[in-house]
């Protein structure tokens, strides 16, 4: 009997990953106050988190989670269809539906689970899925799992999207057609042209599944998302989002009409066959939404976040770095270069991760700077100073002179 030894295979593969500059290791952090983390006994300024509003440490959010643990326990005990649907889950879904302006909502354990449950439930091998090239891996994997015919269009290229829709209408006239897009793209921080996408969707009779993971808590009235901000929320069939970013908890949701919720309860395998999210996480997310909906508590957080975005964008403009979302990428190109600059920043007290293939395309490795309402002006100015000096030392694009 012959074959490759298990450990030999794993060792060889890891060596190849490391040689390509793509080896990943877990980074264990201890205390976190929204601005800083403790790493190896040092206080490090944190510019890597998706906790855009500092909600994970908000006193009201923490109290809601603690109260729910005391009331319902630390776990849900079963899947939602067995005995795992608790009052906290129903309260969250009612709050989400009201917040997003939809008939109904359904919670999932993660954004990945929401995508992998929803897309294959709706689409099959005779259908067509058209997706933006920069869609998150969960959307890509959900599309592949569905078995549908896949067509990709270049990022935010409306002419190419229209061409793909016309192709589907001509060649698969009886198919269901689903467009997959994000409102805010997670590695580039740019926004989708949502009004135009919705217009095209309606012109060709397609459906739209919009991932607002990085849009909720950032854009729109009370942070309802980019679809709300541009006035098309009521024209999007499937609104997806996560609870673990600006809402400071964990889990995800699908919002839409009541028929969609009922359908997913019966067909979304990642919902049916998963233990329900913890009641504490549901209660925490509910509290975060209530904070956002209250102008007295929500508006100052949103203002602080956008003030910080404008401040850092202004300071980095000379390096060709700017944006309108909390995600500001600094593209360096080579994986090894991004890893080295990230390590240099960590040594100088700043946590800014290096993002590499397969998260982004080969040759487009980058630093991914993320901002929070919790950052203060001194944090942002210090980061800008360090990035400016690293631009000189590492060969990053420096357009200040």
């Amino acid at each position: 009997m012959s074959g490759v030894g298990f450990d030999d295979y794993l060792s060889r593969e890891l060596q190849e990953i490391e040689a390509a500059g793509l080896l990943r290791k877990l980074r264990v952090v201890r205390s976190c106050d929204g601005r800083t983390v403790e790493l190896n006994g040092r206080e490090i300024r944190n510019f890597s988190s998706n906790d855009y509003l500092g909600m994970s440490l908000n006193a009201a959010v923490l109290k809601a989670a603690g109260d729910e643990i005391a009331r319902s326990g630390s776990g849900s005990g079963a899947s939602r269809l067995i005995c795992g649907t608790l009052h906290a889950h129903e309260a969250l879904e009612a709050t989400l539906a009201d917040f997003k302006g939809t008939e109904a909502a359904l919670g999932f354990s993660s954004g990945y689970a929401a995508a992998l449950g929803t897309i294959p439930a709706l689409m099959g091998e005779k259908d067509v899925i058209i997706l933006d090239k920069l869609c998150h891996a969960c959307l890509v994997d959900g599309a592949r799992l569905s078995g549908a015919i896949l067509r990709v269009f270049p990022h935010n290229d409306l002419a190419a999207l229209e061409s793909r829709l016309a192709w589907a209408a001509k060649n698969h006239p009886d198919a269901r057609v689903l467009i997959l897009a994000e409102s805010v793209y997670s590695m580039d921080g740019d926004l989708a042209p949502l009004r135009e996408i919705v217009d095209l969707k309606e012109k060709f009779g397609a459906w739209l599944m919009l991932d607002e993971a990085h849009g909720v808590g950032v854009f729109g009235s009370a942070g309802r998302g980019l679809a709300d901000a541009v006035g098309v929320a009521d024209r999007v069939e499937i609104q997806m989002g996560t609870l673990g970013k600006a809402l400071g908890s964990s889990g995800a949701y699908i919002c839409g009409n009541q028929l969609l919720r009922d359908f997913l309860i019966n067909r979304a395998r990642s919902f049916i066959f998963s233990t329900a999210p913890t009641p504490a996480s549901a209660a925490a997310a509910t509290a975060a939404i209530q904070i956002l909906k209250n102008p007295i508590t929500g508006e100052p957080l949103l203002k602080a976040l956008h003030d910080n975005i404008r401040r850092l964008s202004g300071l980095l403009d000379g390096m060709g770095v700017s944006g309108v979302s909390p995600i500001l990428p600094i593209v360096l190109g080579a994986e090894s270069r991004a890893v080295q600059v990230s390590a240099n920043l960590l040594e100088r007290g700043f946590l800014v991760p290096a993002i590499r293939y397969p998260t982004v395309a080969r040759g487009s490795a980058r630093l991914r700077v993320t901002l929070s309402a919790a950052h203060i002006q001194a944090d942002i100015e210090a980061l800008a100073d360090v990035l400016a000096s690293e631009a000189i030392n590492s060969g990053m694009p420096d357009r200040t002179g």
Side-chain angles (χ1 to χ4, degrees), residues 328-346:
L328 279 75
I330 303 173
V331 179
L332 300 179
E335 281 77 13
S336 58
R337 188 174 168 202
V339 169
Q340 184 59 60
V341 176
S342 177
N344 293 348
L345 292 174
L346 185 60

Side-chain angles (χ1 to χ4, degrees), residues 147-169:
I149 301 161
L150 305 185
R151 289 294 181 269
V152 177
F153 63 96
H155 179 53
N156 280 346
D157 187 331
L158 292 168
L161 171 58
E162 183 168 16
S163 174
R164 307 299 190 273
L165 287 165
W167 173 88

Side-chain angles (χ1 to χ4, degrees), residues 161-385:
L161 171 58
E162 183 168 16
S163 174
R164 307 299 190 273
L165 287 165
W167 173 88
K170 178 181 178 181
N171 294 280
H172 301 277
D174 298 324
R176 296 185 292 265
V177 179
L178 176 67
I179 301 169
L180 300 178
E182 301 178 32
S183 61
V184 181
Y185 283 85
S186 59
M187 292 300 131
D188 288 73
D190 59 341
L191 312 184
L194 274 187
R195 288 193 193 94
E196 294 83 355
I197 290 175
V198 169
D199 287 344
L200 285 172
K201 178 262 298 186
E202 293 175 349
K203 176 181 177 180
F204 287 92
W207 304 337
L208 173 61
M209 180 170 172
L210 179 67
D211 184 359
E212 288 259 43
H214 297 273
V216 166
V218 178
F219 296 106
S221 171
R224 287 179 170 85
L226 188 64
D228 174 84
V230 302
V232 298
D234 61 344
R235 297 163 63 191
V236 178
E237 287 82 4
I238 309 151
Q239 297 189 50
M240 171 182 161
T242 56
L243 309 172
K245 296 179 174 64
L247 297 180
S249 181
S250 65
Y253 63 83
I254 295 291
C255 283
N257 63 25
Q258 185 64 46
L259 286 171
L260 175 63
R261 183 181 194 269
D262 293 344
F263 178 81
L264 292 178
I265 288 171
N266 287 275
R267 289 288 182 86
R269 292 172 65 84
S270 60
F271 175 87
I272 296 168
F273 297 108
S274 293
T275 297
T278 66
S281 65
T286 301
I289 294 170
Q290 291 167 342
I291 290 168
L292 276 173
K293 288 172 63 177
N294 184 341
I296 296 174
T297 52
E299 288 180 4
L301 291 174
L302 291 165
K303 182 179 184 302
L305 174 62
H306 285 277
D307 284 348
N308 285 342
I309 294 168
R310 284 188 291 269
R311 181 172 291 118
L312 185 58
S313 290
L315 291 170
L316 299 184
D317 185 62
M319 293 170 54
V321 179
S322 64
V324 295
S325 81
I327 303 162
L328 279 75
I330 303 173
V331 179
L332 300 179
E335 281 77 13
S336 58
R337 188 174 168 202
V339 169
Q340 184 59 60
V341 176
S342 177
N344 293 348
L345 292 174
L346 185 60
E347 182 63 28
R348 299 175 70 172
F350 296 86
L351 181 54
V352 180
I355 306 297
R356 299 162 283 165
Y357 177 83
T359 308
V360 295
R362 291 188 186 275
S364 66
R366 66 199 59 191
L367 303 178
R368 180 180 183 265
V369 177
T370 53
L371 290 163
S372 169
H375 289 125
I376 62 174
Q377 183 172 342
D379 298 329
I380 292 170
E381 291 174 349
L383 175 65
D385 288 343

